[in-house]
């Protein structure tokens, strides 16, 4: 059986997003491959299934680097975790992901999609409301 690949992307500007790490472990425990990309640096570096891409206000080049990092892993599902302050960055990232990974399902979760479901579903294939562990696995 082919295990679906999941790439989780945290739009939070720090790497201590324990909820995202917990979600990745839940996905792995259910028998699926899972990676995590933190949007906090210019370069995406893979460190055992956890990646770091540093810079809060990404340039076009940095967004392209993040999309390339995701596309190289060919996930079946991309899950973005975002707050309202990350909305516009998330829309831009989602558009770029759709161009490069048209067959990948894109899920949005976090505070903004939970509170603004109708707005969020205009950009994502699905919106996760509340805790994502049950919805993702």
């Amino acid at each position: 059986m082919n295990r679906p690949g999941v790439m989780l992307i945290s739009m939070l500007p720090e790497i201590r997003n324990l909820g995202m790490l917990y979600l990745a472990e839940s996905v792995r425990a259910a028998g699926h491959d899972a990676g995590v990309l933190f949007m906090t640096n210019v370069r995406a570096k893979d460190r055992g299934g956890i990646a770091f891409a540093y810079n809060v206000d990404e340039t076009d080049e940095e967004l392209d680097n993040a999309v390339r990092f995701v596309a190289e892993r060919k996930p079946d599902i991309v899950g973005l975790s975002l707050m309202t302050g990350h909305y516009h960055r998330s829309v831009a990232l989602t558009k770029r992901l759709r161009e490069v990974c048209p067959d990948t399902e894109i899920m949005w979760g976090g505070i903004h999609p939970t509170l603004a479901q109708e707005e969020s579903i205009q950009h994502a294939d699905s919106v996760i409301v509340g805790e994502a562990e049950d919805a993702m696995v």
Side-chain angles (χ1 to χ4, degrees), residues 48-112:
I50 299 176
F52 302 90
Y54 298 93
N55 195 334
V56 174
D57 297 316
E58 293 85 10
T59 64
D60 286 342
E61 179 182 1
E62 291 160 352
L63 284 175
D64 288 342
N65 286 340
V67 169
R68 188 172 22 261
F69 183 84
V70 171
E72 287 171 358
R73 280 137 187 87
K74 299 180 177 137
D76 299 302
I77 299 169
V78 170
L80 271 74
S81 176
L82 62 133
M83 298 174 128
T84 300
H86 310 127
Y87 172 76
H88 294 290
R89 292 172 50 222
S90 299
V91 169
L93 180 59
T94 298
K95 285 180 182 178
R96 289 171 191 252
L97 284 168
R98 288 197 187 287
E99 292 169 4
V100 177
C101 308
D103 296 327
T104 299
E105 181 176 351
I106 299 175
M107 300 176 146
W108 277 21
I111 295 171
H112 184 83

Side-chain angles (χ1 to χ4, degrees), residues 80 82-88 90-91 107-130:
L80 271 74
L82 62 133
M83 298 174 128
T84 300
H86 310 127
Y87 172 76
H88 294 290
S90 299
V91 169
M107 300 176 146
W108 277 21
I111 295 171
H112 184 83
T114 296
L115 298 176
Q117 298 165 32
E118 290 184 25
E119 177 182 53
S120 298
I121 198 66
Q122 294 175 26
H123 306 286
D125 296 311
S126 57
V127 172
I128 297 175
V129 177

